[in-house]
Amino acid sequence: MVDVAAKAGVSRALVSIIFRDQPGASQETRERVLRVADEIGYRPDNAARLLARGRSRTLGVMFTVHQTFHADLVEGIYPEAERLGYEVLLSATGQGRGEAKAVEALLSHRCEAVILLGPDTVAADLDALGHRTVAVSVGRRVPQTRVDSVHTAEGKGVRQAMDHLYELGHRRIVHIDGGRGPGSAERRRAYRAAMRRHGLHSGLRVIPGDHTEESGIETGRLLLAERDRGEPLPTAVLAGNDRCAMGLLMALTRAGVDVPRDLSVVGYDDSHLSHLMPIGLTTVRQDSLLMAEYAVRFAVERLEDGELEPREAVLDPKLVVRGTSGPAPEQGPA
């Protein structure tokens, strides 16, 4: 601002008034100062200004690079944060960069709160984090911790998917487990409960996996190898998430399995990639925009009132039927 003031021939105090859009300068002086600032490439340092007041007004977001649903959530976080007057700083987890390191990077950059997308950190560590700073978990329920949470009613979503497959005549329905991924335990329990409710407990099968395409590809290879040994394919597979479902589709279609004529596939998330495929993926939709809005609001409200008790937002899922689910092929008894 000193450089701008010197070149414009005014005081630094007047430059400050103009940059803060406060009264006290004529229109001619205001235009001259702004023109000089543009010529020399000056931009106000909002971060420094906020820190001088003891606030950064920045929300940190921890996410996983390859999780497409996390990208959908981030896209929803930005507008809600900006609406409430906050900036957003991202920190990714990945190979060799765990959640603890990603979170510490956000805190070291003076983020006032952290929004954790699909955390798999143990509950005790999340509770400790919640006592250090404002923290919100998205996609995972974390009861008895000082962390707010936003997630979908996982059991309801799985029930919708399983009822849909049952009504199509499917009886040999396999579930690819999501491992430690967010919501996986609830989805696994709901699958087992649905199989029992429909009288299919003898055919219940959970295949270990995770929330990656590789997990779906490996499951596809497993099922195809079993078929080659004379065992029948399942008629439907409920994948742990959309990425896993897409990997499964890749393995099956490359081997000549017709989806959904020979086998139906259902995912979970309704990430943006699920409807960009040549054959749209039947999946359980999580409302990423609403989840993002709740997460930001929870963080901001706790910043303004630190005495709030931990809160939980549970959103309704919705089954989206597309091209990967159809009537069951002819089959023997379950």
Short mmCIF file of all heavy atoms in Angstrom, two decimals, residues 180-232:
data_model
loop_
_atom_site.label_atom_id
_atom_site.label_comp_id
_atom_site.label_asym_id
_atom_site.label_seq_id
_atom_site.Cartn_x
_atom_site.Cartn_y
_atom_site.Cartn_z
N ARG A 180 -12.67 -50.80 5.23
CA ARG A 180 -12.77 -49.77 6.26
C ARG A 180 -13.33 -48.47 5.72
O ARG A 180 -13.35 -47.46 6.42
CB ARG A 180 -11.38 -49.51 6.86
CG ARG A 180 -10.80 -50.66 7.66
CD ARG A 180 -9.45 -50.31 8.23
NE ARG A 180 -9.52 -49.11 9.06
CZ ARG A 180 -8.45 -48.46 9.52
NH1 ARG A 180 -7.23 -48.89 9.21
NH2 ARG A 180 -8.59 -47.38 10.27
N GLY A 181 -13.79 -48.50 4.48
CA GLY A 181 -14.31 -47.27 3.88
C GLY A 181 -15.52 -46.74 4.62
O GLY A 181 -16.23 -47.49 5.31
N PRO A 182 -15.81 -45.44 4.50
CA PRO A 182 -16.94 -44.83 5.20
C PRO A 182 -18.26 -45.48 4.82
O PRO A 182 -18.55 -45.70 3.65
CB PRO A 182 -16.89 -43.36 4.75
CG PRO A 182 -16.11 -43.37 3.48
CD PRO A 182 -15.11 -44.47 3.64
N GLY A 183 -19.04 -45.82 5.82
CA GLY A 183 -20.35 -46.43 5.60
C GLY A 183 -20.32 -47.92 5.32
O GLY A 183 -21.38 -48.55 5.22
N SER A 184 -19.14 -48.50 5.19
CA SER A 184 -19.05 -49.91 4.78
C SER A 184 -19.68 -50.86 5.78
O SER A 184 -20.38 -51.80 5.40
CB SER A 184 -17.59 -50.30 4.56
OG SER A 184 -17.03 -49.57 3.49
N ALA A 185 -19.42 -50.66 7.06
CA ALA A 185 -19.97 -51.56 8.07
C ALA A 185 -21.50 -51.53 8.05
O ALA A 185 -22.15 -52.59 8.13
CB ALA A 185 -19.45 -51.18 9.46
N GLU A 186 -22.07 -50.33 7.92
CA GLU A 186 -23.53 -50.22 7.88
C GLU A 186 -24.10 -50.86 6.62
O GLU A 186 -25.14 -51.54 6.67
CB GLU A 186 -23.93 -48.74 7.93
CG GLU A 186 -23.63 -48.04 9.25
CD GLU A 186 -22.22 -47.50 9.32
OE1 GLU A 186 -21.41 -47.81 8.41
OE2 GLU A 186 -21.92 -46.78 10.29
N ARG A 187 -23.44 -50.69 5.48
CA ARG A 187 -23.91 -51.30 4.24
C ARG A 187 -23.82 -52.82 4.31
O ARG A 187 -24.71 -53.53 3.83
CB ARG A 187 -23.10 -50.76 3.05
CG ARG A 187 -23.30 -49.27 2.83
CD ARG A 187 -22.35 -48.69 1.80
NE ARG A 187 -22.28 -47.23 1.94
CZ ARG A 187 -21.49 -46.44 1.25
NH1 ARG A 187 -20.68 -46.95 0.33
NH2 ARG A 187 -21.49 -45.13 1.46
N ARG A 188 -22.77 -53.32 4.90
CA ARG A 188 -22.60 -54.77 5.04
C ARG A 188 -23.71 -55.35 5.92
O ARG A 188 -24.31 -56.37 5.58
CB ARG A 188 -21.22 -55.04 5.65
CG ARG A 188 -20.86 -56.51 5.79
CD ARG A 188 -19.39 -56.67 6.12
NE ARG A 188 -18.99 -55.95 7.33
CZ ARG A 188 -18.15 -54.90 7.35
NH1 ARG A 188 -17.65 -54.41 6.23
NH2 ARG A 188 -17.83 -54.32 8.49
N ARG A 189 -23.98 -54.70 7.04
CA ARG A 189 -25.04 -55.18 7.93
C ARG A 189 -26.40 -55.14 7.23
O ARG A 189 -27.21 -56.06 7.36
CB ARG A 189 -25.08 -54.34 9.21
CG ARG A 189 -23.98 -54.66 10.20
CD ARG A 189 -24.27 -54.07 11.56
NE ARG A 189 -24.26 -52.61 11.52
CZ ARG A 189 -23.20 -51.87 11.79
NH1 ARG A 189 -22.04 -52.46 12.09
NH2 ARG A 189 -23.25 -50.56 11.76
N ALA A 190 -26.65 -54.06 6.48
CA ALA A 190 -27.94 -53.92 5.81
C ALA A 190 -28.11 -54.97 4.72
O ALA A 190 -29.22 -55.48 4.50
CB ALA A 190 -28.07 -52.51 5.23
N TYR A 191 -27.03 -55.30 4.01
CA TYR A 191 -27.10 -56.37 3.00
C TYR A 191 -27.49 -57.69 3.64
O TYR A 191 -28.39 -58.40 3.16
CB TYR A 191 -25.76 -56.49 2.28
CG TYR A 191 -25.57 -57.82 1.58
CD1 TYR A 191 -26.19 -58.08 0.36
CD2 TYR A 191 -24.79 -58.83 2.16
CE1 TYR A 191 -26.04 -59.31 -0.27
CE2 TYR A 191 -24.63 -60.06 1.55
CZ TYR A 191 -25.25 -60.30 0.33
OH TYR A 191 -25.11 -61.52 -0.28
N ARG A 192 -26.81 -58.04 4.73
CA ARG A 192 -27.10 -59.31 5.40
C ARG A 192 -28.54 -59.34 5.89
O ARG A 192 -29.25 -60.35 5.75
CB ARG A 192 -26.13 -59.51 6.56
CG ARG A 192 -24.71 -59.86 6.10
CD ARG A 192 -23.76 -59.95 7.26
NE ARG A 192 -22.48 -60.52 6.86
CZ ARG A 192 -21.31 -60.19 7.40
NH1 ARG A 192 -21.27 -59.29 8.36
NH2 ARG A 192 -20.20 -60.75 6.99
N ALA A 193 -28.98 -58.21 6.46
CA ALA A 193 -30.35 -58.15 6.97
C ALA A 193 -31.36 -58.30 5.84
O ALA A 193 -32.38 -58.99 5.98
CB ALA A 193 -30.57 -56.83 7.71
N ALA A 194 -31.09 -57.69 4.69
CA ALA A 194 -32.01 -57.78 3.55
C ALA A 194 -32.06 -59.19 3.00
O ALA A 194 -33.14 -59.69 2.64
CB ALA A 194 -31.58 -56.79 2.46
N MET A 195 -30.92 -59.86 2.93
CA MET A 195 -30.92 -61.25 2.44
C MET A 195 -31.76 -62.14 3.36
O MET A 195 -32.54 -62.97 2.89
CB MET A 195 -29.48 -61.77 2.35
CG MET A 195 -28.66 -61.14 1.23
SD MET A 195 -29.19 -61.63 -0.43
CE MET A 195 -28.48 -63.29 -0.55
N ARG A 196 -31.62 -61.94 4.66
CA ARG A 196 -32.40 -62.74 5.60
C ARG A 196 -33.89 -62.40 5.50
O ARG A 196 -34.75 -63.28 5.55
CB ARG A 196 -31.89 -62.52 7.03
CG ARG A 196 -30.46 -63.02 7.26
CD ARG A 196 -30.09 -62.94 8.73
NE ARG A 196 -28.70 -63.35 8.94
CZ ARG A 196 -27.69 -62.50 9.12
NH1 ARG A 196 -27.92 -61.19 9.14
NH2 ARG A 196 -26.46 -62.95 9.29
N ARG A 197 -34.18 -61.11 5.36
CA ARG A 197 -35.58 -60.68 5.28
C ARG A 197 -36.29 -61.28 4.08
O ARG A 197 -37.48 -61.59 4.12
CB ARG A 197 -35.63 -59.14 5.24
CG ARG A 197 -37.02 -58.54 5.12
CD ARG A 197 -37.00 -57.07 5.49
NE ARG A 197 -35.98 -56.35 4.74
CZ ARG A 197 -36.18 -55.81 3.54
NH1 ARG A 197 -37.35 -55.95 2.94
NH2 ARG A 197 -35.22 -55.15 2.93
N HIS A 198 -35.54 -61.47 2.98
CA HIS A 198 -36.13 -62.03 1.77
C HIS A 198 -36.00 -63.55 1.72
O HIS A 198 -36.30 -64.17 0.71
CB HIS A 198 -35.46 -61.42 0.53
CG HIS A 198 -35.84 -59.99 0.29
ND1 HIS A 198 -37.15 -59.59 0.11
CD2 HIS A 198 -35.08 -58.86 0.18
CE1 HIS A 198 -37.19 -58.28 -0.10
NE2 HIS A 198 -35.96 -57.82 -0.05
N GLY A 199 -35.54 -64.15 2.83
CA GLY A 199 -35.43 -65.60 2.88
C GLY A 199 -34.27 -66.15 2.07
O GLY A 199 -34.30 -67.31 1.64
N LEU A 200 -33.23 -65.34 1.87
CA LEU A 200 -32.09 -65.74 1.03
C LEU A 200 -30.82 -65.97 1.85
O LEU A 200 -29.72 -65.87 1.33
CB LEU A 200 -31.84 -64.68 -0.04
CG LEU A 200 -33.04 -64.30 -0.92
CD1 LEU A 200 -32.68 -63.16 -1.87
CD2 LEU A 200 -33.52 -65.51 -1.70
N HIS A 201 -30.99 -66.25 3.14
CA HIS A 201 -29.83 -66.34 4.02
C HIS A 201 -28.84 -67.42 3.57
O HIS A 201 -27.64 -67.30 3.79
CB HIS A 201 -30.27 -66.61 5.46
CG HIS A 201 -31.20 -67.76 5.61
ND1 HIS A 201 -32.55 -67.66 5.38
CD2 HIS A 201 -30.97 -69.06 5.94
CE1 HIS A 201 -33.11 -68.83 5.58
NE2 HIS A 201 -32.18 -69.71 5.91
N SER A 202 -29.34 -68.49 2.92
CA SER A 202 -28.43 -69.56 2.50
C SER A 202 -27.50 -69.11 1.37
O SER A 202 -26.42 -69.67 1.17
CB SER A 202 -29.23 -70.79 2.04
OG SER A 202 -30.03 -70.46 0.92
N GLY A 203 -27.90 -68.09 0.63
CA GLY A 203 -27.07 -67.58 -0.45
C GLY A 203 -26.29 -66.33 -0.11
O GLY A 203 -25.65 -65.72 -0.97
N LEU A 204 -26.32 -65.96 1.16
CA LEU A 204 -25.64 -64.75 1.60
C LEU A 204 -24.13 -64.87 1.36
O LEU A 204 -23.52 -65.87 1.75
CB LEU A 204 -25.94 -64.53 3.07
CG LEU A 204 -25.54 -63.22 3.74
CD1 LEU A 204 -26.46 -62.97 4.94
CD2 LEU A 204 -24.09 -63.25 4.20
N ARG A 205 -23.54 -63.87 0.71
CA ARG A 205 -22.10 -63.92 0.47
C ARG A 205 -21.52 -62.50 0.42
O ARG A 205 -21.94 -61.67 -0.39
CB ARG A 205 -21.77 -64.62 -0.85
CG ARG A 205 -20.27 -64.77 -1.09
CD ARG A 205 -19.97 -65.42 -2.42
NE ARG A 205 -18.54 -65.63 -2.60
CZ ARG A 205 -17.97 -66.04 -3.74
NH1 ARG A 205 -18.75 -66.33 -4.79
NH2 ARG A 205 -16.67 -66.19 -3.83
N VAL A 206 -20.55 -62.23 1.28
CA VAL A 206 -19.84 -60.95 1.32
C VAL A 206 -18.41 -61.20 0.87
O VAL A 206 -17.68 -61.98 1.50
CB VAL A 206 -19.86 -60.32 2.73
CG1 VAL A 206 -19.05 -59.03 2.74
CG2 VAL A 206 -21.31 -60.05 3.17
N ILE A 207 -18.01 -60.55 -0.21
CA ILE A 207 -16.65 -60.70 -0.74
C ILE A 207 -15.81 -59.53 -0.23
O ILE A 207 -16.18 -58.37 -0.42
CB ILE A 207 -16.65 -60.72 -2.27
CG1 ILE A 207 -17.46 -61.92 -2.78
CG2 ILE A 207 -15.22 -60.77 -2.82
CD1 ILE A 207 -17.59 -61.97 -4.30
N PRO A 208 -14.69 -59.79 0.45
CA PRO A 208 -13.84 -58.70 0.95
C PRO A 208 -13.38 -57.79 -0.19
O PRO A 208 -13.07 -58.25 -1.30
CB PRO A 208 -12.66 -59.43 1.58
CG PRO A 208 -13.17 -60.80 1.89
CD PRO A 208 -14.15 -61.12 0.80
N GLY A 209 -13.37 -56.49 0.08
CA GLY A 209 -12.94 -55.53 -0.94
C GLY A 209 -12.69 -54.17 -0.33
O GLY A 209 -12.51 -54.04 0.89
N ASP A 210 -12.67 -53.15 -1.17
CA ASP A 210 -12.55 -51.78 -0.69
C ASP A 210 -13.17 -50.85 -1.73
O ASP A 210 -13.75 -51.31 -2.71
CB ASP A 210 -11.09 -51.40 -0.40
CG ASP A 210 -10.18 -51.58 -1.61
OD1 ASP A 210 -10.61 -51.25 -2.73
OD2 ASP A 210 -9.03 -52.05 -1.43
N HIS A 211 -13.04 -49.55 -1.51
CA HIS A 211 -13.72 -48.57 -2.36
C HIS A 211 -12.86 -48.14 -3.54
O HIS A 211 -12.66 -46.94 -3.78
CB HIS A 211 -14.13 -47.36 -1.52
CG HIS A 211 -15.30 -47.64 -0.63
ND1 HIS A 211 -15.74 -46.74 0.32
CD2 HIS A 211 -16.13 -48.71 -0.55
CE1 HIS A 211 -16.80 -47.25 0.94
NE2 HIS A 211 -17.04 -48.44 0.44
N THR A 212 -12.33 -49.11 -4.29
CA THR A 212 -11.50 -48.79 -5.45
C THR A 212 -11.92 -49.61 -6.66
O THR A 212 -12.55 -50.66 -6.52
CB THR A 212 -10.01 -49.08 -5.16
OG1 THR A 212 -9.85 -50.49 -4.95
CG2 THR A 212 -9.52 -48.32 -3.94
N GLU A 213 -11.52 -49.15 -7.85
CA GLU A 213 -11.78 -49.91 -9.06
C GLU A 213 -11.07 -51.25 -9.02
O GLU A 213 -11.59 -52.26 -9.52
CB GLU A 213 -11.33 -49.13 -10.29
CG GLU A 213 -12.13 -47.89 -10.61
CD GLU A 213 -11.66 -46.66 -9.85
OE1 GLU A 213 -10.75 -46.79 -9.01
OE2 GLU A 213 -12.22 -45.57 -10.08
N GLU A 214 -9.86 -51.28 -8.45
CA GLU A 214 -9.09 -52.52 -8.38
C GLU A 214 -9.85 -53.61 -7.63
O GLU A 214 -9.80 -54.78 -8.00
CB GLU A 214 -7.74 -52.27 -7.71
CG GLU A 214 -6.76 -51.45 -8.53
CD GLU A 214 -7.08 -49.97 -8.54
OE1 GLU A 214 -7.95 -49.53 -7.74
OE2 GLU A 214 -6.47 -49.24 -9.35
N SER A 215 -10.57 -53.21 -6.59
CA SER A 215 -11.36 -54.17 -5.82
C SER A 215 -12.45 -54.79 -6.69
O SER A 215 -12.68 -56.00 -6.65
CB SER A 215 -11.98 -53.48 -4.61
OG SER A 215 -12.83 -54.36 -3.90
N GLY A 216 -13.10 -53.96 -7.50
CA GLY A 216 -14.13 -54.48 -8.40
C GLY A 216 -13.55 -55.39 -9.46
O GLY A 216 -14.14 -56.43 -9.80
N ILE A 217 -12.39 -55.02 -10.00
CA ILE A 217 -11.74 -55.85 -11.02
C ILE A 217 -11.36 -57.21 -10.43
O ILE A 217 -11.59 -58.26 -11.05
CB ILE A 217 -10.49 -55.13 -11.57
CG1 ILE A 217 -10.91 -53.90 -12.38
CG2 ILE A 217 -9.65 -56.08 -12.42
CD1 ILE A 217 -9.75 -53.00 -12.78
N GLU A 218 -10.78 -57.21 -9.23
CA GLU A 218 -10.39 -58.47 -8.59
C GLU A 218 -11.60 -59.35 -8.32
O GLU A 218 -11.55 -60.58 -8.50
CB GLU A 218 -9.65 -58.17 -7.29
CG GLU A 218 -8.26 -57.58 -7.50
CD GLU A 218 -7.60 -57.17 -6.20
OE1 GLU A 218 -8.19 -57.47 -5.12
OE2 GLU A 218 -6.52 -56.57 -6.24
N THR A 219 -12.71 -58.74 -7.89
CA THR A 219 -13.93 -59.53 -7.66
C THR A 219 -14.45 -60.12 -8.96
O THR A 219 -14.88 -61.28 -9.01
CB THR A 219 -15.02 -58.66 -7.01
OG1 THR A 219 -14.55 -58.19 -5.74
CG2 THR A 219 -16.31 -59.44 -6.82
N GLY A 220 -14.40 -59.32 -10.03
CA GLY A 220 -14.81 -59.83 -11.34
C GLY A 220 -13.99 -61.04 -11.75
O GLY A 220 -14.54 -62.06 -12.22
N ARG A 221 -12.68 -60.97 -11.56
CA ARG A 221 -11.81 -62.09 -11.91
C ARG A 221 -12.13 -63.32 -11.06
O ARG A 221 -12.12 -64.46 -11.55
CB ARG A 221 -10.35 -61.69 -11.72
CG ARG A 221 -9.86 -60.67 -12.76
CD ARG A 221 -8.49 -60.15 -12.39
NE ARG A 221 -7.99 -59.23 -13.41
CZ ARG A 221 -6.95 -58.41 -13.23
NH1 ARG A 221 -6.31 -58.41 -12.06
NH2 ARG A 221 -6.54 -57.61 -14.20
N LEU A 222 -12.42 -63.09 -9.78
CA LEU A 222 -12.77 -64.18 -8.88
C LEU A 222 -14.04 -64.89 -9.35
O LEU A 222 -14.10 -66.12 -9.44
CB LEU A 222 -12.96 -63.65 -7.46
CG LEU A 222 -13.54 -64.63 -6.44
CD1 LEU A 222 -12.58 -65.78 -6.18
CD2 LEU A 222 -13.87 -63.90 -5.13
N LEU A 223 -15.07 -64.11 -9.66
CA LEU A 223 -16.35 -64.69 -10.09
C LEU A 223 -16.20 -65.42 -11.42
O LEU A 223 -16.80 -66.49 -11.63
CB LEU A 223 -17.41 -63.59 -10.19
CG LEU A 223 -17.77 -62.89 -8.88
CD1 LEU A 223 -18.76 -61.76 -9.14
CD2 LEU A 223 -18.34 -63.88 -7.86
N LEU A 224 -15.40 -64.86 -12.32
CA LEU A 224 -15.19 -65.50 -13.62
C LEU A 224 -14.41 -66.81 -13.47
O LEU A 224 -14.69 -67.80 -14.16
CB LEU A 224 -14.45 -64.55 -14.55
CG LEU A 224 -15.26 -63.32 -15.00
CD1 LEU A 224 -14.34 -62.29 -15.65
CD2 LEU A 224 -16.37 -63.72 -15.95
N ALA A 225 -13.44 -66.82 -12.56
CA ALA A 225 -12.68 -68.05 -12.31
C ALA A 225 -13.58 -69.13 -11.74
O ALA A 225 -13.47 -70.31 -12.10
CB ALA A 225 -11.52 -67.77 -11.36
N GLU A 226 -14.49 -68.73 -10.86
CA GLU A 226 -15.44 -69.69 -10.30
C GLU A 226 -16.36 -70.24 -11.39
O GLU A 226 -16.68 -71.43 -11.41
CB GLU A 226 -16.25 -69.02 -9.19
CG GLU A 226 -15.43 -68.70 -7.95
CD GLU A 226 -16.21 -67.93 -6.90
OE1 GLU A 226 -17.34 -67.46 -7.22
OE2 GLU A 226 -15.73 -67.80 -5.77
N ARG A 227 -16.78 -69.35 -12.29
CA ARG A 227 -17.62 -69.79 -13.41
C ARG A 227 -16.89 -70.82 -14.26
O ARG A 227 -17.46 -71.83 -14.70
CB ARG A 227 -18.03 -68.60 -14.26
CG ARG A 227 -18.94 -68.94 -15.43
CD ARG A 227 -19.03 -67.81 -16.42
NE ARG A 227 -17.73 -67.54 -17.06
CZ ARG A 227 -17.55 -66.62 -18.01
NH1 ARG A 227 -18.56 -65.89 -18.43
NH2 ARG A 227 -16.34 -66.43 -18.53
N ASP A 228 -15.61 -70.57 -14.50
CA ASP A 228 -14.83 -71.50 -15.33
C ASP A 228 -14.67 -72.86 -14.65
O ASP A 228 -14.41 -73.87 -15.33
CB ASP A 228 -13.44 -70.89 -15.62
CG ASP A 228 -13.54 -69.65 -16.50
OD1 ASP A 228 -14.59 -69.48 -17.16
OD2 ASP A 228 -12.57 -68.87 -16.52
N ARG A 229 -14.83 -72.89 -13.33
CA ARG A 229 -14.76 -74.17 -12.61
C ARG A 229 -16.13 -74.84 -12.50
O ARG A 229 -16.28 -75.85 -11.82
CB ARG A 229 -14.19 -73.95 -11.20
CG ARG A 229 -12.74 -73.49 -11.18
CD ARG A 229 -12.13 -73.66 -9.79
NE ARG A 229 -12.83 -72.87 -8.79
CZ ARG A 229 -12.49 -71.63 -8.43
NH1 ARG A 229 -11.45 -71.04 -9.02
NH2 ARG A 229 -13.16 -70.98 -7.50
N GLY A 230 -17.13 -74.24 -13.15
CA GLY A 230 -18.45 -74.84 -13.17
C GLY A 230 -19.44 -74.28 -12.18
O GLY A 230 -20.59 -74.73 -12.11
N GLU A 231 -19.02 -73.29 -11.39
CA GLU A 231 -19.94 -72.67 -10.44
C GLU A 231 -20.71 -71.55 -11.13
O GLU A 231 -20.16 -70.81 -11.96
CB GLU A 231 -19.17 -72.10 -9.25
CG GLU A 231 -18.37 -73.14 -8.47
CD GLU A 231 -17.55 -72.52 -7.36
OE1 GLU A 231 -17.98 -71.48 -6.82
OE2 GLU A 231 -16.46 -73.05 -7.06
N PRO A 232 -21.99 -71.38 -10.82
CA PRO A 232 -22.78 -70.34 -11.48
C PRO A 232 -22.39 -68.95 -11.01
O PRO A 232 -21.99 -68.76 -9.85
CB PRO A 232 -24.21 -70.67 -11.07
CG PRO A 232 -24.08 -71.36 -9.75
CD PRO A 232 -22.81 -72.15 -9.85
#
